[in-house]
Amino acid sequence: MKFTYLTIFPEIFQTLDYSLIGKAQDKSLIEIETINLRDFATDIHKSVDDAPYGGGAGMVMTAPIWGDAIDYALSKINKNSSKVELIILTPAGEKFDQNIAQEMSKSSDLIFACGRYEGLDQRVYEYYSNPEFAQKCNFDFIVRELSIGDYVLNGGEVAALAITEVIARLIPGVIGNQQSLVEESHSDGQIGVLEYPIYTRPQNWRGLEVPEILLSGNHQAIAEFRKKQSILRSNPKISDN
């Protein structure tokens, strides 16, 4: 899978060179590319925004800049790509969750439009989400507007990083122990279910003991205990009786 980020701050995505995603790049499981929006600016100041029509606070990122950048990103899509998604990050978008991550993990290319200021000119979404545009592509092409929560960030970069980490974990080979994906919070078929509490050595830490059942060696009892704890954690109003 290839992840492409359209941004005025490409340096932010250097964090993807570390940890599991960095190792996944080394193993050619995923590919990362950043594209600087300012490379498509035509004025001496490399401007990417302008005042909004109708007045109002803040500045709006212009459609011509975004159009040229997205077209450039699409021109670099591999001819063998099957499904390409353009992700426009906005507080007004659909709420990202594990179900959406599962869908997106089946794509070959994800292009993230990381807006700043008051966001993108709405015509960017209207143009690329038009079915007539998708019909011109040599691959399955869809556009999503996504949000990672009911709050406002300074830009889409942090949201893109969060979504990338969620999706990358679902790509075979990125996580060493695939069983951990089955047992963790919001795993496939367990959306909304939180993982049970976990413990490791030492057995006693500052007067707090590891639950005795976990030391018993009774795997069936341990599984039942963990299931109950997961239910309690997912539904805190349920009594622990």
Side-chain angles (χ1 to χ4, degrees):
M1 177 182 284
K2 181 178 181 181
F3 296 82
T4 301
Y5 308 93
L6 308 180
T7 173
I8 60 173
F9 295 116
E11 300 85 359
I12 290 176
F13 296 95
Q14 292 177 1
T15 59
L16 296 174
D17 292 336
Y18 302 95
S19 191
L20 292 176
I21 296 180
K23 293 178 180 178
Q25 292 181 71
D26 293 339
K27 293 188 289 186
S28 299
L29 295 174
I30 64 175
E31 180 182 353
I32 301 292
E33 180 178 11
T34 56
I35 296 175
N36 194 331
L37 281 170
R38 295 197 188 278
D39 291 343
F40 301 90
T42 57
D43 68 319
I44 191 172
H45 300 293
K46 297 291 184 181
S47 302
V48 296
D49 59 327
D50 207 338
Y53 278 120
M59 302 289 279
V60 179
M61 303 189 86
T62 65
I65 296 290
W66 275 103
D68 289 347
I70 293 171
D71 289 347
Y72 175 72
L74 291 175
S75 74
K76 301 186 70 178
I77 296 296
N78 189 292
K79 64 180 180 180
N80 296 320
S81 294
S82 56
K83 183 180 180 182
V84 179
E85 297 195 37
L86 171 62
I87 314 302
I88 298 177
L89 298 158
T90 167
E94 181 182 9
K95 188 76 67 66
F96 177 73
D97 61 18
Q98 197 72 23
N99 275 326
I100 294 176
Q102 292 282 358
E103 294 175 15
M104 294 172 67
S105 70
K106 297 177 175 61
S107 296
S108 57
D109 296 76
L110 299 177
I111 301 172
F112 291 87
C114 303
R116 284 265 157 177
Y117 316 121
E118 295 302 309
L120 284 60
D121 187 311
Q122 180 62 22
R123 290 171 294 180
V124 176
Y125 173 78
E126 293 174 2
Y127 179 86
Y128 289 100
S129 62
N130 189 319
E132 293 183 3
F133 180 85
Q135 291 173 4
K136 298 176 184 178
C137 298
N138 297 321
F139 40 75
D140 184 11
F141 179 70
I142 66 171
V143 181
R144 296 180 189 260
E145 287 188 307
L146 286 183
S147 165
I148 63 168
D150 296 330
Y151 42 81
V152 179
L153 299 168
N154 288 329
E157 289 81 8
V158 170
L161 286 169
I163 292 172
T164 297
E165 183 151 323
V166 175
I167 293 172
R169 291 172 56 82
L170 301 176
I171 299 173
V174 173
I175 299 295
N177 183 358
Q178 291 296 111
Q179 182 63 24
S180 66
L181 294 176
V182 176
E183 296 183 353
E184 66 187 4
S185 299
H186 309 299
S187 58
D188 191 20
Q190 301 287 329
I191 305 302
V193 177
L194 303 180
E195 189 176 5
Y196 48 78
I198 55 177
Y199 304 85
T200 188
R201 294 181 179 87
Q203 183 177 335
N204 180 295
W205 178 73
R206 297 185 179 180
L208 300 173
E209 292 279 352
V210 173
E212 186 175 346
I213 186 65
L214 299 179
L215 309 175
S216 68
N218 186 331
H219 297 295
Q220 181 177 348
I222 290 173
E224 292 174 355
F225 170 80
R226 285 175 169 171
K227 181 178 180 180
K228 180 178 180 180
Q229 293 301 311
S230 179
I231 292 172
L232 290 172
R233 180 174 277 191
S234 304
N235 302 276
K237 294 182 179 180
I238 296 178
S239 175
D240 185 13
N241 292 317

